Amino acid sequence: MSYIRFRTHYLHTPYLVLAALEFFVLFAIFSFLALLLTLAGVGYPSVDTNFLSAILFALILSCGTLAMGGYLVMVYESTSALFFRTLVAYCFVGGIGLKLLYLVFPSANPGSTNLFWAVIAASIIVIVMRLLFLRVVDSEQLVRRVVIFGAGDFAANLLDEYEQNMRALGVRIIGCIAEKPEGAVAADNLLPTPRNLYRFCRQNRISEIVIAQQERRRKEGGWLPVPDLMECKLRGIAVTSGVDFYERELKKAKLDMVHPSWIVFSDGFKASKTRALAKRALDLIISLTLLLITFPFIILTALAVYLETGRPILYSQTRVGVLGKEFRIYKFRSMRQDAEKDGKARWASANDNRVTRVGAFIRNTRLDELPQLYNVIKGEMSIVGPRPERPEFVAELKEKIPFYDTRHYVKPGLMGWAQLKYPYGASVEDARGKLEYDLYYSKNHSLLMDFLIMIQTVEVILLGKGVR
């Protein structure tokens, strides 16, 4: 099994092992540097300080890698892109983090020159480790071999997602066993129906069977070989529903396969007063801290907007919040004053000509959303949650997209899971795609997941992802 479950989250073991190895390597590199400095008579005064410095170095650079999405994306990148991403994660994100920490722990600072060589050495060694890791995790001896029962639209979609994303997770889908000859899956992906399912799985080293049929029942009876599936499961071969497989591997809920029973009987979607209080306390601490840190940027942004297009500096809209309650959201104005002069709500489009020059910059850097810290402090929003939508769009989307209203059972947020995983939404189809991630967040959200989203949002801000 190449994944472990932590509460409601599935974590892929190969990447956890890689992260642990990288942390150890970073710790060892810094410890070796500290030892050399100590032997030269310019090192730290105590072993405890050496240990603390090495831990901080490894921790911050590991967080920098996570913030820049340095684990899963490395499967799709060239060596040069991998090198560039690692340098940004270590030299820029990690460097800033270390400098801030050294203000609090000045005794842990090895000096700029020593820190520079430690980061360069770490970058080279870690890149070599990752290239070796890609070879190992993609080897036939370690991949999970999966067979799909079903050959309809969902199975075809699952194969498409596999080609785009799942190879990075050490998954090999060897083919589909069709419910009927006609289906959406191409003929070269179809497998003959085995006479003995368990023997077939053993011969082909299958570790998991995914049920991805379009209909669970038929008037003439079900087609699934239930006794064979029971034998496989009881003898150690996992049998998983398509929607659960999709959720576990891709961290989203496949909307075409979601039924009310999935929401009612799942072990997620649990409301907890304790977690709600902890989340509220965290929201206040983070929002007030961010307000203090970003106050100079707030002043400069307000001045830039005023100098380019005058008043009003702020722009407000009505949005739909938790349990459908409407509230006013505040942003720095990034469009012309007459952007919606006819009063009709419009989706933002790519290269929208309503966006000003200052507006384009503050959108790319997310400075336009800083006034929403007021909404967080007021309790209308959270730091992490589904992005709130306008009532005009919500009314339309609820009619066209099933389960769209489920996202309103979680407080909306400044940043969210869908914003990390899906490009900017500007259509009904985009809203449908984002809802699959919002459903996953609504089902599995926790303080740990919120922290991971906050860390990974650094990449979105630095690279200007999902902006229109």
Side-chain angles (χ1 to χ4, degrees):
M1 184 176 293
S2 60
Y3 58 86
I4 60 174
R5 186 174 183 179
F6 180 79
R7 301 191 66 171
T8 58
H9 305 288
Y10 289 95
L11 305 174
H12 292 279
T13 306
Y15 293 95
L16 288 177
V17 171
L18 176 63
L21 285 174
E22 287 188 7
F23 184 90
F24 175 78
V25 167
L26 293 170
F27 178 85
I29 289 172
F30 196 93
S31 296
F32 181 71
L33 171 67
L35 177 62
L36 291 179
L37 293 176
T38 301
L39 293 176
V42 293
Y44 300 105
S46 68
V47 174
D48 291 340
T49 305
N50 281 343
F51 182 80
L52 174 64
S53 300
I55 287 290
L56 291 177
F57 179 81
L59 179 63
I60 295 301
L61 293 196
S62 296
C63 288
T65 299
L66 184 61
M68 290 303 297
Y71 290 113
L72 295 182
V73 296
M74 66 183 178
V75 178
Y76 314 108
E77 291 185 325
S78 63
T79 303
S80 59
L82 176 62
F83 184 75
F84 173 76
R85 186 180 289 270
T86 303
L87 284 182
V88 172
Y90 283 4
C91 298
F92 185 73
V93 179
I96 292 175
L98 286 170
K99 286 297 184 182
L100 291 175
L101 270 180
Y102 292 153
L103 294 176
V104 181
F105 303 104
S107 61
N109 191 347
S112 298
T113 302
N114 296 323
L115 183 62
F116 170 79
W117 288 113
V119 169
I120 293 300
S123 300
I124 294 172
I125 294 173
V126 165
I127 287 171
V128 173
M129 279 184 56
R130 290 178 184 174
L131 293 175
L132 292 174
F133 168 81
L134 292 178
R135 288 181 176 271
V136 172
V137 79
D138 201 44
S139 65
E140 289 300 321
Q141 288 71 30
L142 291 181
V143 296
R144 278 181 294 132
R145 293 170 63 83
V146 175
V147 66
I148 298 175
F149 263 92
D153 292 335
F154 179 61
N157 184 270
L158 199 55
L159 286 173
D160 290 339
E161 291 276 12
Y162 160 70
E163 291 296 336
Q164 297 174 27
N165 300 302
M166 290 188 200
R167 283 184 177 271
L169 303 174
V171 175
R172 288 289 181 275
I173 296 179
I174 68 165
C176 301
I177 298 175
E179 174 185 1
K180 52 187 178 181
E182 306 83 17
V185 174
D188 57 348
N189 287 320
L190 293 177
L191 300 171
T193 303
R195 290 187 177 182
N196 186 306
L197 183 58
Y198 177 73
R199 186 180 303 165
F200 168 83
C201 291
R202 292 286 294 177
Q203 290 173 346
N204 291 277
R205 296 186 294 114
I206 303 299
S207 58
E208 187 168 16
I209 302 168
V210 177
I211 310 302
Q213 59 192 131
Q214 294 300 106
E215 298 178 26
R216 291 297 181 92
R217 297 179 180 178
R218 288 173 156 188
K219 292 181 180 179
E220 64 270 22
W223 74 279
L224 284 178
V226 176
D228 290 345
L229 291 173
M230 288 177 60
E231 180 187 10
C232 288
K233 184 163 187 176
L234 291 171
R235 298 185 72 171
I237 298 172
V239 179
T240 309
S241 71
V243 66
D244 289 339
F245 181 79
Y246 215 92
E247 178 187 353
R248 187 187 74 211
E249 299 297 335
L250 297 173
K251 303 297 185 289
K252 63 179 179 178
K254 183 58 180 173
L255 206 54
D256 295 337
M257 293 292 289
V258 169
H259 300 282
S261 59
W262 177 75
I263 296 176
V264 173
F265 296 111
S266 73
D267 57 357
F269 298 104
K270 292 180 180 178
S272 167
K273 290 185 177 179
T274 302
R275 185 173 60 198
L277 288 173
K279 187 176 175 70
R280 178 60 181 151
L282 188 66
D283 285 340
L284 286 173
I285 293 171
I286 293 177
S287 58
L288 291 171
T289 303
L290 283 176
L291 187 62
L292 182 65
I293 294 172
T294 61
F295 186 74
F297 298 98
I298 291 174
I299 298 299
L300 290 174
T301 302
L303 183 61
V305 172
Y306 177 77
L307 290 177
E308 183 183 35
T309 53
R311 294 183 178 181
I313 295 172
L314 293 179
Y315 177 66
S316 68
Q317 281 182 339
T318 300
R319 298 290 178 99
V320 178
V322 65
L323 300 178
K325 183 179 179 181
E326 295 184 2
F327 68 99
R328 301 292 294 182
I329 196 173
Y330 296 92
K331 305 173 75 171
F332 282 117
R333 184 169 54 80
S334 59
M335 292 186 175
R336 305 188 312 261
Q337 290 96 329
D338 61 347
E340 291 181 355
K341 56 185 177 182
D342 57 359
K344 184 178 180 181
R346 294 184 179 88
W347 297 101
S349 59
N351 301 316
D352 199 317
N353 59 13
R354 297 175 297 168
V355 178
T356 64
R357 286 177 298 176
V358 169
F361 175 78
I362 63 176
R363 278 176 169 238
N364 279 320
T365 55
R366 297 304 198 277
L367 290 171
D368 65 320
E369 296 181 357
L370 287 177
Q372 291 169 41
L373 291 172
Y374 167 75
N375 294 107
V376 177
I377 295 170
K378 194 176 177 182
E380 297 166 331
M381 292 177 63
S382 178
I383 292 294
V384 179
R387 287 296 294 164
E389 196 51 83
R390 301 174 69 173
E392 300 91 334
F393 296 146
V394 169
E396 176 187 3
L397 296 171
K398 284 170 64 175
E399 293 181 0
K400 296 182 178 180
I401 303 176
F403 304 106
Y404 186 80
D405 213 29
T406 55
R407 70 196 304 274
H408 297 135
Y409 285 88
V410 178
K411 189 179 290 188
L414 276 173
M415 53 191 83
W417 187 240
Q419 279 63 51
L420 286 178
K421 298 296 183 179
Y422 198 87
Y424 189 94
S427 68
V428 173
E429 192 57 36
D430 285 339
R432 183 183 179 90
K434 289 176 64 177
L435 179 61
E436 294 185 335
Y437 291 104
D438 285 336
L439 268 175
Y440 177 86
Y441 178 80
S442 298
K443 179 176 183 286
N444 301 298
H445 70 95
S446 64
L447 294 182
L448 171 63
M449 188 175 185
D450 286 355
F451 276 120
L452 291 175
I453 290 172
M454 283 186 273
I455 292 173
Q456 293 177 72
T457 300
V458 172
E459 181 191 11
V460 175
I461 296 173
L462 289 179
L463 301 184
K465 287 186 173 182
V467 175
R468 289 191 182 180

